Amino acid sequence: LLKDDIMIKVTLKDGSVKEFESGITAMEVAKSLGMGLYKAACVSKINGEVKDLRTPLTEDCSLEILTFDDPDGKWALRHTASHILAQAVKRLYPEAKLAIGPAIDNGFYYDFDVDVPFTPDVLGKIEAEMKKIVKEALPLEKYELAPDEAIKLMEEKNEPFKVELIKEHSGKGEKISFYRQGEFDELCAGPHVPDTSRVKAFKLTSCTGAYWRGDSKNKMLQRIYGTAFTKKDDLEAYLAAIEEAKKRDHRKLGKELGLFALLDEGPGFPFFLPNGMTLRNTLIDYWREVHKRYGYVEISTPMMLNRALWERSGHWDHYKENMYTTVIDDTDFAIKPMNCPGGMLVYKLQPHSYRDLPLRMGELGLVHRHELSGALHGLFRVRCFTQDDAHIFMTWDQMKDEIKNVVRLFDEVYSVFGLTYQIEVSTMPEDHMGDVKDWDFATETLKAAVTEMGKDFIINEGDGAFYGPKLDFHLSDSLGRTWQCGTIQLDMQLPERFELEYTGADGEKHRPVMIHRVVLGSIERFIGVITEHFAGPFPLWLAPVQIKILPIADRHHDYAKKVCAELDAMGFRVEVDERSEKIGYKIREAQLHKIPYMLLVGDKEVEDGTVSVRKRGEGDLGASSVQDFATGALEDVKSKKIW
């Protein structure tokens, strides 16, 4: 063979091996495999590393062609969309200064320093210019410069933010990576799709203010958010889902349904209103009922404990910036950010035998954590919340059965709300405590427990807590969005730090192992999740007001109150609308408040001793005796039926 004809072996994703001439690009390989794959290709993965499709293959290697269906392919296409956005802004507003523009979950953004306010009309003009750039099919070509050359280029282009970024890395002596598309040069490590035409469907969604590098001491920039897809249909479906999500926004519904309030006097500290408290207490009643059946005892530990405890637990050294502290009688105290150390103290209050284990202690503990004001978001990110904690103390050989027991509890609770989940196993991080052999045993036990239950899981390498591996439960709601709520964390370290013991069958002292576990995660956050999941109409058992009785005229009030008293005695949450309004208005009001049942009473109902039943989502069900109606409704409450 001539030198130019050196052949290399390329191992493809399906395990097959093909020979190509050295120097062939990943894009050319994709083309040889089929035009469909070539047209869909976004980036490649060469020997496990994500690279541009223009990357030449010069030696034997493994190769995957990644499309938009692959996370890395999706990321690359949306990163390219951010470059197209920046190029469009520079074309329209040459004096704009560029900051950064990464891909993010579900889209991308770019930060600009520009005098023009990015109003919706301006975003429309930018979108139109982006479409021109896509149509131009500009190739994205990577090149590298020495640090001093890179600084010179960005200074010539009057890009001070880019110069700042380059100077931070220039001390390493490495070359600086750029991408060029037409007249536009961007500081970037990549990778990107081959050309701008691959970004076939995109939308700029909003504009907000953002400090340079997230620091309030720096200049305020304008951040444009957008999203991008390879197909127009996918973009339209996503935008429709976003609009549906806006309708379901728990902050909006929380206000409309009288559940909670978020006030300037207490940022991050939600106020629960009467309907919200009814919902919250019903949820907690269910939590207590389930945990009693699964063998838990309930405890309550103080909200504030002294510094010595938090030093012992490790929080004072590693978590203090997130804790609220004070001084009492010349001693430092902290409001608890989590319940665990208090649970340790409860365990230590009395001696334990192996016969006591497993010991399952649940706690609905109000915890406080300092969150930055910009991170606060309704009930999803707050500064105080009620964690539905449980700490299970057990022997090492009880570990697998206890994990299964917790997963069964999770199954029951999540199914009640119509929520499915994906399990993620998070393994040992680099910064960890304890012996590797203990970590390996604990991690394999987690995997074995869920596998034996017939459940799948994915691995999240290195994302365990410093004290032990964990299972995270990512819930999927009715819009297909995921929420991380439940978690099962194995802990081999806190029992050591607090010198927990039990007497074994051999009469010797042993160290228990512990599970930290939450099922709802946070009562407040879970209320936000299910509010959006159900879009406001809660199941009958959970609805703050289950039945609204609507008298047609004032003369029907006495009968309405009599029916109300009967249903109240049966345990229903029921109200009478006694306002002097037309019945049509009362019905619309009850519908707006998502009331499951409306019972209309007029002359005929009074005469017959019946009620006229209207069911949410189904309309008029006709006349019924109070007892017959109540029997069916009570069955729905008991079964926690979703409708």
Side-chain angles (χ1 to χ4, degrees):
L1 288 174
L2 298 175
K3 186 177 180 182
D4 291 342
D5 294 329
I6 295 174
M7 304 300 287
I8 61 171
K9 293 181 178 180
V10 177
T11 304
L12 301 175
K13 186 177 181 179
D14 63 2
S16 63
V17 179
K18 292 185 179 290
E19 288 196 346
F20 298 95
E21 286 189 10
S22 176
I24 190 172
T25 65
M27 186 157 51
E28 290 168 330
V29 172
K31 196 170 187 178
S32 74
L33 297 174
M35 287 303 294
L37 178 62
Y38 167 72
K39 290 179 179 179
C42 291
V43 286
S44 64
K45 186 176 280 187
I46 303 170
N47 292 330
E49 189 174 351
V50 182
K51 298 278 190 178
D52 292 332
L53 286 167
R54 299 178 185 276
T55 304
L57 310 178
T58 58
E59 59 185 13
D60 294 351
C61 63
S62 65
L63 173 68
E64 292 181 51
I65 305 299
L66 305 181
T67 69
F68 190 74
D69 292 332
D70 299 290
D72 288 319
K74 198 176 267 97
W75 205 261
L77 182 127
R78 288 171 171 167
H79 193 179
T80 302
S82 78
H83 281 217
I84 295 171
L85 165 59
Q87 184 178 14
V89 169
K90 289 294 284 187
R91 283 185 178 182
L92 295 171
Y93 308 100
E95 298 305 312
K97 305 295 186 295
L98 305 178
I100 58 171
I104 56 175
D105 289 342
N106 297 322
F108 60 91
Y109 71 79
Y110 210 107
D111 291 344
F112 302 94
D113 181 11
V114 60
D115 293 334
V116 178
F118 287 146
T119 62
D121 286 344
V122 171
L123 292 187
K125 293 176 184 177
I126 295 171
E127 269 191 14
E129 190 63 36
M130 290 175 69
K131 289 177 182 176
K132 293 179 185 177
I133 295 169
V134 170
K135 195 171 183 180
E136 291 169 21
L138 301 174
L140 280 90
E141 298 171 314
K142 185 176 182 178
Y143 65 96
E144 294 180 333
L145 295 175
D148 56 343
E149 293 175 318
I151 291 171
K152 182 180 178 183
L153 174 65
M154 290 294 102
E155 286 178 339
E156 288 174 353
K157 291 182 175 292
N158 194 19
E159 297 292 357
F161 299 108
K162 303 295 186 185
V163 171
E164 181 181 328
L165 293 172
I166 295 169
K167 285 182 176 179
E168 284 186 2
H169 293 84
S170 61
K172 300 177 182 179
E174 299 172 354
K175 287 197 170 184
I176 306 298
S177 170
F178 288 84
Y179 276 81
R180 175 174 292 145
Q181 58 196 59
E183 82 288 355
F184 181 69
D185 292 89
E186 172 68 299
L187 172 69
C188 183
H192 286 278
V193 298
D195 64 72
T196 58
S197 71
R198 307 244 172 169
V199 187
K200 297 185 183 301
F202 61 87
K203 179 69 178 174
L204 300 182
T205 53
S206 64
C207 180
T208 64
Y211 291 110
W212 168 235
R213 314 196 83 167
D215 189 338
S216 60
K217 296 177 183 176
N218 292 333
K219 187 166 188 177
M220 174 68 78
L221 307 175
Q222 292 190 71
R223 174 173 295 178
I224 296 177
Y225 283 98
T227 191
F229 294 82
T230 54
K231 298 175 184 176
K232 186 179 179 181
D233 288 349
D234 291 341
L235 173 63
E236 290 177 349
Y238 172 78
L239 294 175
I242 291 297
E243 286 305 308
E244 178 62 26
K246 287 179 182 177
K247 296 176 189 174
R248 293 168 176 255
D249 190 316
H250 72 285
R251 294 167 298 182
K252 173 177 173 288
L253 290 171
K255 184 176 182 180
E256 292 174 358
L257 302 177
L259 302 179
F260 61 89
L262 302 166
L263 305 179
D264 292 340
E265 290 82 355
F269 302 97
F271 288 67
F272 273 84
L273 307 179
N275 280 350
M277 282 304 296
T278 299
L279 173 64
R280 180 189 178 103
N281 288 335
T282 303
L283 192 62
I284 288 173
D285 288 344
Y286 171 62
W287 185 93
R288 287 193 166 117
E289 180 261 310
V290 170
H291 283 73
K292 184 177 180 181
R293 280 194 283 107
Y294 277 79
Y296 288 77
V297 294
E298 187 176 353
I299 64 170
S300 177
T301 61
M303 195 181 299
M304 188 182 297
L305 295 162
N306 69 20
R307 174 175 176 168
L309 174 77
W310 301 112
E311 287 178 335
R312 190 173 188 182
S313 69
H315 290 91
W316 196 268
D317 293 329
H318 299 289
Y319 203 73
K320 185 171 181 289
E321 67 278 7
N322 296 103
M323 297 166 67
Y324 296 110
T325 61
T326 188
V327 177
I328 302 174
D329 296 334
D330 299 323
T331 301
D332 289 329
F333 277 75
I335 299 175
K336 64 179 178 181
M338 50 194 68
N339 300 308
C340 321
M344 305 301 103
L345 297 182
V346 172
Y347 182 91
K348 285 178 69 72
L349 285 174
Q350 62 187 67
H352 295 280
S353 156
Y354 70 96
R355 292 187 178 89
D356 302 327
L357 306 182
L359 175 58
R360 309 178 187 104
M361 297 195 303
E363 178 174 13
L364 294 164
L366 185 63
V367 300
H368 290 70
R369 298 178 187 177
H370 179 62
E371 298 282 358
L372 296 175
S373 59
L376 300 176
H377 179 73
L379 297 181
F380 292 160
R381 184 64 71 89
V382 292
R383 287 172 170 159
C384 75
F385 55 94
T386 305
Q387 215 168 24
D388 67 314
D389 256 323
H391 298 105
I392 304 172
F393 303 90
M394 60 199 170
T395 65
W396 283 82
D397 60 354
Q398 292 171 334
M399 191 186 296
K400 186 190 291 185
D401 286 341
E402 279 309 296
I403 293 166
K404 289 181 178 180
N405 192 54
V406 175
V407 174
R408 280 190 286 270
L409 185 151
F410 282 17
D411 276 339
E412 177 175 337
V413 172
Y414 296 149
S415 65
V416 161
F417 299 95
L419 297 165
T420 58
Y421 62 78
Q422 169 69 54
I423 299 175
E424 192 174 79
V425 178
S426 297
T427 61
M428 184 177 73
E430 287 187 21
D431 180 19
H432 66 274
M433 297 175 63
D435 294 334
V436 172
K437 63 179 179 61
D438 289 339
W439 274 87
D440 289 344
F441 177 83
T443 304
E444 291 308 311
T445 303
L446 285 173
K447 293 177 182 178
V450 294
T451 299
E452 289 174 16
M453 297 181 76
K455 299 183 181 296
D456 297 323
F457 59 85
I458 59 175
I459 298 292
N460 188 5
E461 205 68 56
D463 200 45
F466 70 89
Y467 49 75
K470 59 177 180 170
L471 299 178
D472 286 326
F473 290 71
H474 296 267
L475 308 185
S476 294
D477 69 9
S478 55
L479 291 184
R481 300 171 301 177
T482 57
W483 310 89
Q484 202 276 297
C485 291
T487 188
I488 302 173
Q489 300 179 347
L490 287 173
D491 189 347
M492 298 90 77
Q493 307 311 320
L494 271 187
E496 189 71 35
R497 279 177 171 253
F498 281 85
E499 300 176 338
L500 304 188
E501 294 179 335
Y502 70 91
T503 302
D506 57 3
E508 300 296 322
K509 296 293 184 184
H510 299 273
R511 190 80 71 213
V513 67
M514 191 177 78
I515 286 176
H516 303 257
R517 181 246 68 176
V518 293
V519 54
L520 306 180
S522 144
I523 299 294
E524 291 76 5
R525 186 168 183 268
F526 194 77
I527 287 173
V529 170
I530 60 174
T531 299
E532 297 198 2
H533 173 59
F534 292 121
F538 294 106
L540 181 64
W541 73 274
L542 199 53
V545 178
Q546 296 169 317
I547 304 165
K548 183 81 81 168
I549 302 175
L550 309 179
I552 293 174
D554 290 352
R555 63 181 179 276
H556 307 128
H557 283 186
D558 288 344
Y559 180 69
K561 291 176 183 177
K562 175 176 175 292
V563 172
C564 181
E566 289 179 39
L567 293 172
D568 180 74
M570 297 179 195
F572 289 107
R573 296 186 289 275
V574 56
E575 294 179 353
V576 178
D577 187 343
E578 295 185 88
R579 294 176 299 169
S580 298
E581 301 284 357
K582 292 182 178 179
I583 192 64
Y585 179 83
K586 291 182 179 182
I587 290 172
R588 285 192 298 275
E589 284 278 290
Q591 289 172 334
L592 287 173
H593 287 93
K594 321 293 186 187
I595 306 297
Y597 280 112
M598 288 175 265
L599 303 183
L600 280 65
V601 294
D603 291 338
K604 183 169 177 53
E605 286 76 22
V606 172
E607 182 180 344
D608 296 343
T610 60
V611 291
S612 183
V613 182
R614 291 181 65 92
K615 186 176 181 181
R616 186 183 65 208
E618 296 184 24
D620 188 5
L621 300 185
S624 170
S625 70
V626 174
Q627 186 58 53
D628 286 348
F629 161 75
T631 299
L634 283 171
E635 184 55 39
D636 280 1
V637 170
K638 183 179 179 181
S639 65
K640 295 182 171 55
K641 186 177 179 180
I642 296 174
W643 48 265

